Amino acid sequence: MKTLLPTSTAGSLPKPSWLAQPETLWSPWKLKDQELTEGKQDALRLSLYDQLQAGIDIVSDGEQTRQHFVTTFIEQLSGVDFEKRETVRIRDRYDASVPSVVSDVDRPQSVFVEDAKFLRQQTDKPIKWALPGPMTMVDTLYDDHYRSREKLAWEFARILNEEARELEAAGVNIIQFDEPAFNVFFDEVNDWGIAALERAAEGLNCETAVHICYGYGIKANTDWKKTLGSEWKQYERAFPKLQSSSIDIISLECHNSRVPMELIELIRGKKVMVGAIDVASDTIETPEAVADTLRMALQFVDAEKLYPSTNCGMAPLSRRVARGKLNALSSGAQIIRKELFG
Ligand SMILES: [Zn+2]
């Protein structure tokens, strides 16, 4: 990748209204069978088109192929019973009715590989594919079988590694693991969370990333953020071990959040996807605001390791707002490129 300050998004982009109810998480598909397959592919093409029009350098499927960033992956695994539901506390924040692990978990067939091949056919740009991380997967289930979060995480890490190797073979350039749980369970992160993540990424030759954030702009998350005080130092707990991990890129939330920018110093040496777009607000950033965030980050990240990005996924936003934010990200990165490289 020769592009300086390559832009990307952290995750999802809005779905078109003919595929699923927009501005909603977990919104059910409006199509089925062959129509659904084609509908997802059409939505992927549109999402890619929006990214290309905005000048985004590392593109994705905009998560048009999944209903939810964790559940859609788990649905394809054996050992999890979606009929047998229990209420658990997710990320120590909100209660949800979740499926149960009832026997050994496994991946009977690949989950996203055909979708990734389809995206690969549509563009020559570098592509990034997101998978849930092992700890975040564990945290969305009731486990009646292993009865150990760590044991279950290692099983998921093995399964994720199988999927990741196939995604790499399909031409994916960056495989990203989403681990919002890393901002909550600090002791587990350091005991086994990062080790399980490294297991999921083991043996990959493509680049690997981990996305850690404060979540979508949904009420449970914005309410939680209000309890965190004036400075959010959660990253401080996981960063030292992540710095020495085998993961290449760390994707963070920065813009409009109360994360002290200097925490990035703790991962000096890693490539950093700096969130310069607030996904919890409908206000479209100005290119100058994006540039300001990137300029601040440059105090702690070497320019060749800075990847301008969004704080998190944009699925809950309108398509108009999301497109505006993609454009702002691109223009903001361009301002900094000019400053740095002329
Ligand atoms: Zn996120």
Side-chain angles (χ1 to χ4, degrees):
M1 262 172 260
K2 291 284 186 285
T3 314
L4 295 160
L5 271 58
T7 51
S8 66
T9 67
S12 61
L13 289 168
K15 292 198 177 73
S17 58
W18 42 261
L19 181 63
Q21 182 61 36
E23 298 175 48
T24 314
L25 289 175
W26 255 305
S27 123
W29 301 117
K30 290 186 182 173
L31 307 171
K32 53 186 181 180
D33 306 327
Q34 187 57 28
E35 285 188 348
L36 176 59
T37 305
E38 286 179 19
K40 286 183 195 171
Q41 291 188 340
D42 292 345
L44 184 155
R45 274 193 277 241
L46 283 174
S47 181
L48 173 64
Y49 179 81
D50 284 348
Q51 294 172 74
L52 296 175
Q53 283 291 102
I56 299 299
D57 301 299
I58 302 165
V59 293
S60 74
D61 70 333
E63 301 189 10
Q64 303 297 313
T65 53
R66 64 195 85 179
Q67 265 181 301
H68 185 266
F69 80 101
V70 186
T71 317
T72 299
F73 186 77
I74 294 177
E75 273 170 358
Q76 302 301 315
L77 307 182
S78 57
V80 181
D81 186 345
F82 274 74
E83 305 296 306
K84 191 164 180 276
R85 301 188 83 88
E86 300 282 345
T87 298
V88 301
R89 183 137 274 230
I90 294 193
R91 270 173 256 152
D92 216 13
R93 204 171 310 161
Y94 52 91
D95 291 325
S97 162
V98 300
S100 303
V101 179
V102 292
S103 58
D104 288 0
V105 291
D106 222 331
R107 190 191 67 133
Q109 69 278 316
S110 49
V111 180
F112 292 127
V113 177
E114 290 309 311
D115 300 324
K117 283 182 187 164
F118 182 77
L119 174 62
R120 181 72 289 169
Q121 286 165 7
Q122 313 298 317
T123 179
D124 294 327
K125 293 257 184 190
I127 62 177
K128 177 162 77 75
W129 201 272
L131 293 172
M135 181 180 281
T136 299
M137 288 172 73
V138 167
D139 196 50
T140 54
L141 292 169
Y142 176 76
D143 171 20
D144 206 14
H145 179 68
Y146 296 94
R147 296 202 172 97
S148 153
R149 282 163 68 90
E150 179 179 353
K151 263 189 207 153
L152 181 57
W154 283 102
E155 291 303 316
F156 283 149
R158 170 185 59 79
I159 288 170
L160 285 164
N161 188 247
E162 292 169 8
E163 177 81 5
R165 285 169 189 252
E166 289 181 22
L167 289 170
E168 175 185 87
V172 171
N173 306 89
I174 301 174
I175 293 174
Q176 170 180 308
F177 297 96
D178 293 333
E179 282 286 29
F182 274 16
N183 253 346
V184 184
F185 305 108
F186 310 112
D187 292 338
E188 289 184 323
V189 169
N190 287 298
D191 286 350
W192 52 261
I194 292 169
L197 178 67
E198 287 181 307
R199 170 70 183 92
E202 196 177 275
L204 295 174
N205 296 309
C206 67
E207 291 204 287
T208 55
V210 59
H211 169 67
I212 312 168
C213 67
Y214 290 80
Y216 281 123
I218 57 171
K219 190 169 183 302
N221 291 331
T222 48
D223 287 350
W224 171 60
K225 289 180 184 187
K226 283 178 197 153
T227 70
L228 296 179
S230 60
E231 282 211 313
W232 300 352
K233 301 188 94 173
Q234 282 69 21
Y235 286 140
E236 193 174 38
R237 305 286 298 274
F239 274 6
K241 221 167 177 162
L242 273 174
Q243 200 284 330
S244 57
S245 77
S246 60
I247 305 298
D248 302 307
I249 306 171
I250 301 175
S251 162
L252 315 169
E253 165 169 340
C254 296
H255 181 65
N256 269 1
S257 86
R258 296 183 189 155
V259 175
M261 199 67 91
E262 62 267 25
L263 291 184
I264 300 177
E265 183 66 42
L266 295 170
I267 44 171
R268 177 77 77 169
K270 290 292 183 196
K271 294 172 179 166
V272 186
M273 288 182 167
V274 170
I277 295 289
D278 182 2
V279 301
S281 156
D282 280 336
T283 308
I284 295 168
E285 286 77 2
T286 62
E288 290 72 24
V290 170
D292 283 344
T293 302
L294 300 178
R295 225 176 267 120
M296 274 193 281
L298 278 169
Q299 296 174 263
F300 309 101
V301 192
D302 301 336
E304 65 275 16
K305 297 195 166 172
L306 177 66
Y307 287 46
S309 188
T310 60
N311 279 356
C312 190
M314 297 204 279
L317 300 176
S318 75
R319 299 173 85 188
R320 181 190 66 83
V321 169
R323 275 195 292 260
K325 285 177 181 266
L326 290 178
N327 285 327
L329 178 63
S330 203
S331 307
Q334 190 53 26
I335 292 173
I336 301 296
R337 280 186 205 119
K338 275 206 183 120
E339 279 177 18
L340 290 175
F341 313 108

